[in-house]
Each structure stands twice: as C-alpha cells, then as structure tokens.
C-alpha cells in the first residue's frame, strides 16, 4: 500500500523560504513519478511540480523559477524547495504519486495522472 507523508509546512513571511518533504513507502520508486500540488480554500487543486526517477521535471508557470522539486531515490523522499514566497502561495500542500507504466517523464500536472496522495501540510505566507 502506497503511503505518502508530508512535512515541513508552517508560517513564513512574504519573501521567505520553506522546504517541504514527502516520505514515500510501499512503492518501488522507479515505477512512479512524484508531484506536489496545493489547494487554497475555495479554489481547485493546482499541480505545481512533478519529477520522474529519470530526472524529468515539470513546473506550473505560477511557480517556475521560485519552486524546485527534487527526488532522493534511495531514501524515497521528495522535496519541494519554495523560495520568494508570496501570500497567494498560502494553501494546503500535497504530495502525490503516479504509476509510470513505462513512461520516462511526468505526463502532466493534472490530478488525474496521480493516483496516490498524502494528507497534506499547511503553508501560510504572511505579508
């Protein structure tokens, strides 16, 4: 059974940084690509970044240049480094995993391409 556990959320001032972590278990890393999503109250879930075990990355335009996703295959850890945070980045942040079925890249940042989800970690950016 796939289990994803996020950590690292918290409250930070505008312009600050946070690094989110996601510990994955119950998966063979090479069979999955990983991603980070967020959802603010009253808004739809938004795909932010994805990474495959082959190094392919994909970013949403809203975070490109500010956020960086990385993967430690040996530790089964996924990270999201978030810099230059803005109040509009305030949301619940989720880690997600999707089966590759032979793909070497992250197909999209759509929720439908990710089958397994963590419980989320809250990020609050104050002005």
């Amino acid at each position: 059974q796939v289990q994803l556990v996020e950590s690292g959320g918290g409250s930070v001032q505008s312009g600050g940084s946070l690094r989110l972590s996601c510990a994955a278990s119950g998966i063979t890393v090479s069979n999955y690509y990983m991603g980070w999503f967020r959802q603010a109250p009253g808004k739809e879930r938004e795909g932010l970044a994805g990474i495959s075990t082959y190094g392919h990355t994909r970013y949403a335009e809203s975070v490109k240049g500010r956020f960086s996703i990385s993967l430690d295959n040996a530790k089964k850890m996924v990270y999201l480094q978030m810099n230059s945070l803005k109040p509009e980045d305030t949301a619940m942040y989720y880690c997600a995993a999707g089966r590759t079925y032979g793909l070497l890249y992250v197909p999209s940042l759509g929720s439908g391409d990710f089958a397994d989800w963590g419980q989320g970690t809250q990020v609050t950016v104050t002005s």
Side-chain angles (χ1 to χ4, degrees), residues 59-109:
Y59 291 94
E61 287 298 322
S62 59
V63 303
K64 196 174 290 184
R66 298 190 300 126
F67 291 10
S68 178
I69 190 170
S70 59
L71 173 65
D72 186 327
N73 286 323
K75 295 181 179 179
K76 295 186 180 181
M77 295 290 296
V78 187
Y79 305 98
L80 185 68
Q81 178 65 44
M82 305 186 296
N83 299 325
S84 302
L85 285 162
K86 307 173 184 179
E88 52 263 43
D89 293 318
T90 295
M92 186 70 79
Y93 283 68
Y94 298 91
C95 177
R99 287 292 302 271
T100 64
Y101 296 109
L103 290 175
L104 304 182
Y105 57 91
V106 181
S108 81
L109 294 177

Side-chain angles (χ1 to χ4, degrees), residues 10-93:
S11 182
V12 63
Q13 286 190 328
S14 181
S17 298
L18 280 175
R19 189 177 83 150
L20 305 183
S21 300
C22 172
S25 60
I27 66 172
T28 300
V29 175
S30 60
N31 291 337
Y32 287 81
Y33 50 82
M34 307 296 294
W36 285 97
F37 291 73
R38 69 185 178 191
Q39 188 167 20
K43 295 188 177 181
E44 293 188 355
R45 188 167 292 188
E46 175 188 14
L48 302 176
I51 187 167
S52 76
T53 57
Y54 299 93
H56 175 255
T57 56
R58 186 184 293 274
Y59 291 94
E61 287 298 322
S62 59
V63 303
K64 196 174 290 184
R66 298 190 300 126
F67 291 10
S68 178
I69 190 170
S70 59
L71 173 65
D72 186 327
N73 286 323
K75 295 181 179 179
K76 295 186 180 181
M77 295 290 296
V78 187
Y79 305 98
L80 185 68
Q81 178 65 44
M82 305 186 296
N83 299 325
S84 302
L85 285 162
K86 307 173 184 179
E88 52 263 43
D89 293 318
T90 295
M92 186 70 79
Y93 283 68

